[in-house]
Amino acid sequence: MARDEEAAAGEGTGLLSEANGRGVDARKAFEANSAEASKNYHDKRHEGKQNEEAHQEEGGMLKPMIFGGLDGILTSFAIVSGAAGGNLSTQVILVLGFSNIFADALSMGVGEFLSSKAENEWILSERKREAWEMENYPEGEIEEMVDIYVERGMERSDAEKVIETMSKYEDFFVDVMMAEELQLQVPDEDHEIEAMKEGVVMFCSFAIFGSFPLLGYAIIPASFPELGEEMLFTAACVITGVVLFAMGCVKSLFSTHKWYLCGAETLLLGGACATVAFTIGQFVDALVA
């Protein structure tokens, strides 16, 4: 056990040396499960050699990217599967697919922007209320925070000391109240710009990934006109499966799970959605026929 810990520490220290100056030291130490490497990193910070502990800021756009991409590719493949199950022509599949993908992408992007903006505005309105209450009745707010900390396991005397100290800094204390009392994270001042970025990421992700299942129907007939429509659907299945697995692997970069597990999870869930769409297409086609 001691030898394993020494190996992890050595590996983590090496990772820190490799990553020095690139803002990934703390996460490298965590991934190496090395307490010694983490200690070295934080010691350097406190000595002034590093100013700020870096986290994966790209993860902030992970939700619209993954959600938009999955929604886009599954929506597109559901159209392809349903149309294939209903024996529709290639032309119909392309018209339905591309028109639906770009219309839905615009709708999803606008919806993401408006929903994020509305949520941030609501949080800021709640912050104004908390600030007003702190200004007009600080004793009540302080007592509420003390009760919260006591419920979480602190001794009342310790909680009173902590809250009394924090309450001297009003703006800071209001933000703490938002997080501890309301479980809300106060957005940055440029929250509208961030909401717009999320909307753009959602639109692009939905449109780009949603186009993949249709590429086979657009490219293969021009390159290999002798192939039948069954081969086109097979190509769409293969392309969609590869992209779904790749999206799962990308998702693993922002989590602690293995890349192949994330890829398999995304592939299986996407395959289940596609199977439902194909089955419904066959069922409806049989009813109409």
Side-chain angles (χ1 to χ4, degrees), residues 184-233:
L184 296 175
Q185 182 67 40
V186 178
D188 296 330
E189 294 181 359
D190 61 344
H191 67 89
E192 291 188 0
I193 296 177
E194 290 300 314
M196 186 174 296
K197 288 180 181 178
E198 291 178 4
V200 171
V201 169
M202 175 71 78
F203 169 81
C204 294
S205 183
F206 192 103
I208 292 172
F209 286 100
S211 299
F212 280 108
L214 298 170
L215 291 180
Y217 283 86
I219 296 175
I220 292 179
S223 303
F224 306 98
E226 68 277 4
L227 295 180
E229 292 189 357
E230 290 185 1
M231 183 59 67
L232 297 182
F233 180 63

Side-chain angles (χ1 to χ4, degrees), residues 146-159:
V146 169
D147 290 340
I148 290 174
Y149 277 39
V150 169
E151 288 177 0
R152 296 186 179 182
M154 291 184 69
E155 295 289 340
R156 176 163 288 274
S157 58
D158 291 336

Side-chain angles (χ1 to χ4, degrees), residues 28-41:
K28 288 288 187 179
F30 165 71
E31 291 174 349
N33 194 27
S34 173
E36 181 65 24
S38 179
K39 175 180 178 298
N40 291 340
Y41 169 74

Side-chain angles (χ1 to χ4, degrees), residues 21 30 54 68 77 81 112 115 121-122 137 153 169 172 199 212 220 232 243 247 249 257 262 281:
F30 165 71
F77 191 62
S81 299
E112 179 69 20
S115 62
E121 289 174 347
W122 169 67
Y137 186 38
Y169 310 93
F172 168 75
F212 280 108
I220 292 179
L232 297 182
V243 175
M247 287 186 68
C249 294
H257 298 293
C262 289

Side-chain angles (χ1 to χ4, degrees), residues 4-46:
D4 292 341
E5 291 178 355
E6 289 176 2
E11 180 184 356
T13 305
L15 288 170
L16 287 174
S17 299
E18 291 178 10
N20 190 26
R22 294 185 296 171
V24 294
D25 300 29
R27 186 167 186 83
K28 288 288 187 179
F30 165 71
E31 291 174 349
N33 194 27
S34 173
E36 181 65 24
S38 179
K39 175 180 178 298
N40 291 340
Y41 169 74
H42 286 87
D43 287 344
K44 289 181 181 179
R45 282 190 61 218
H46 294 310

Side-chain angles (χ1 to χ4, degrees), residues 77-100:
F77 191 62
I79 294 173
V80 171
S81 299
N87 296 315
L88 299 182
S89 66
T90 300
Q91 290 80 5
V92 172
I93 292 175
L94 288 175
V95 171
L96 287 177
F98 280 111
S99 60
N100 184 77

